[in-house]
Amino acid sequence: MMLRCYPVSSMFKFNYKHVGLCYNRLSVPFISSNHYNHNIGFHSQPINPTDDSPLSGLECAMTDYLFGKRKATEVAHSIWKHVVKKGDAVVDATCGNGYDTLAMANMVADESCNGHLYSMDIQESAIQNTACLLDKSLDPHKREMVELFATCHSKMEEVVPRGVTVRLVAFNLGYLPGSDKIVITKSETTLLGMEAASRILASGGLISMLVYVGHPGGMEEYEVVEGFASGLSVNEWICCKLQMMNRPLAPILVLLCKR
């Protein structure tokens, strides 16, 4: 597995710490932030997150991923939980069968249902599948927070109202599971979607890209995603990826954090 981060320098301190875990004293490198120091530091001492720590739950997700017990989608969800707050506005750029949308809806829902989720997919069947899942999984108040749009993610700025502050934009690229594999996300529209996401994302927000490379066109799309990420300003973005090195067809999680 490889976690690659492009060089950064700004008002944040990103400490690559060894997070103490419960599997044979294994330590997994991960990233934490400190707003009060401008340097990048490396720490060798394990830290033990408490239940209210920003890292709580994330270290176990990473360990399970390393040992093949969790999927990349589950790791992505764990990361989202450390970015998204109750009442936030978020975007599911490729809703698929609705599982990411459902997870995000539960993350932003508060008692007043002030959060909002804009979920889109170019395939009408994906919208129907997502609507069905939400209708049976969410109470009516939470369900009202989710808007579904049968459109391409390249049209994101036409979906999200001007002035709305977006905390998370999530892409799950490739084809719709259980459907015709001929219909896949395309490099051209994915690039437009990433560009749109970068414009509407709030400071401290995250663009999460899960890229599947095992199907025709998948590797080309990944190269576009990687090229876009590596070209972002180091003063404004932190970009990294989670990739299995000995499983060349495994999905790759790309994370773009806006400072």
Side-chain angles (χ1 to χ4, degrees):
M1 185 191 72
M2 173 173 60
L3 178 65
R4 173 180 296 174
C5 293
Y6 296 100
V8 297
S9 61
S10 79
M11 64 180 181
F12 295 104
K13 177 184 178 183
F14 284 83
N15 298 325
Y16 292 73
K17 299 182 179 180
H18 293 284
V19 180
L21 302 176
C22 53
Y23 291 95
N24 298 323
R25 298 182 180 178
L26 176 69
S27 292
V28 180
F30 214 80
I31 302 171
S32 65
S33 64
N34 186 323
H35 292 255
Y36 304 103
N37 194 300
H38 292 238
N39 300 317
I40 295 177
F42 293 82
H43 298 261
S44 59
Q45 294 300 318
I47 60 174
N48 298 307
T50 60
D51 290 340
D52 58 353
S53 166
L55 292 176
S56 178
L58 190 54
E59 69 280 3
C60 288
M62 287 296 301
T63 300
D64 285 348
Y65 180 70
L66 288 172
F67 284 88
K69 296 179 180 180
R70 289 206 192 192
K71 298 179 181 178
T73 51
E74 295 173 303
V75 175
H77 287 191
S78 295
I79 293 171
W80 300 351
K81 290 177 182 178
H82 296 278
V83 176
V84 175
K85 300 173 182 150
K86 299 296 185 182
D88 278 343
V90 295
V91 175
D92 187 351
T94 49
C95 68
N97 288 317
Y99 297 106
D100 286 348
T101 297
L102 177 60
M104 294 165 75
N106 285 317
M107 290 176 201
V108 301
D110 57 12
E111 292 181 359
S112 302
C113 293
N114 291 322
H116 206 89
L117 170 54
Y118 304 90
S119 186
M120 64 196 73
D121 202 290
I122 199 170
Q123 296 188 73
E124 185 63 40
S125 59
I127 298 297
Q128 294 173 358
N129 292 346
T130 298
C132 181
L133 178 65
L134 297 179
D135 290 343
K136 71 180 182 181
S137 303
L138 297 177
D139 65 55
H141 295 294
K142 285 185 180 181
R143 180 64 181 85
E144 289 178 0
M145 297 188 310
V146 185
E147 288 189 78
L148 300 175
F149 300 87
T151 189
C152 178
H153 48 240
S154 63
K155 308 292 186 182
M156 191 179 304
E157 288 174 294
E158 298 176 14
V159 167
V160 180
R162 187 185 296 263
V164 170
T165 300
V166 174
R167 182 71 57 182
L168 168 69
V169 180
F171 294 79
N172 198 331
L173 303 177
Y175 55 83
L176 177 65
S179 70
D180 188 349
K181 296 182 181 180
I182 296 177
V183 181
I184 60 173
T185 52
K186 302 291 187 181
S187 300
E188 297 82 3
T189 52
T190 295
L191 177 59
L192 293 173
M194 289 189 295
E195 291 173 345
S198 70
R199 289 190 290 264
I200 67 173
L201 195 70
S203 295
L206 177 72
I207 301 174
S208 173
M209 317 276 305
L210 191 59
V211 191
Y212 291 83
V213 297
H215 62 276
M219 184 57 71
E220 291 80 0
E221 187 172 35
Y222 165 68
E223 290 172 354
V224 169
V225 170
E226 186 179 45
F228 176 81
S230 61
L232 291 172
S233 168
V234 297
N235 295 321
E236 299 177 8
W237 294 86
I238 298 159
C239 305
C240 62
K241 66 179 179 179
L242 187 65
Q243 181 180 23
M244 288 290 184
M245 298 185 70
N246 65 340
R247 293 178 56 200
L249 299 184
I252 302 170
L253 180 60
V254 180
L255 302 168
L256 316 178
C257 180
K258 191 172 186 178
R259 295 183 183 278

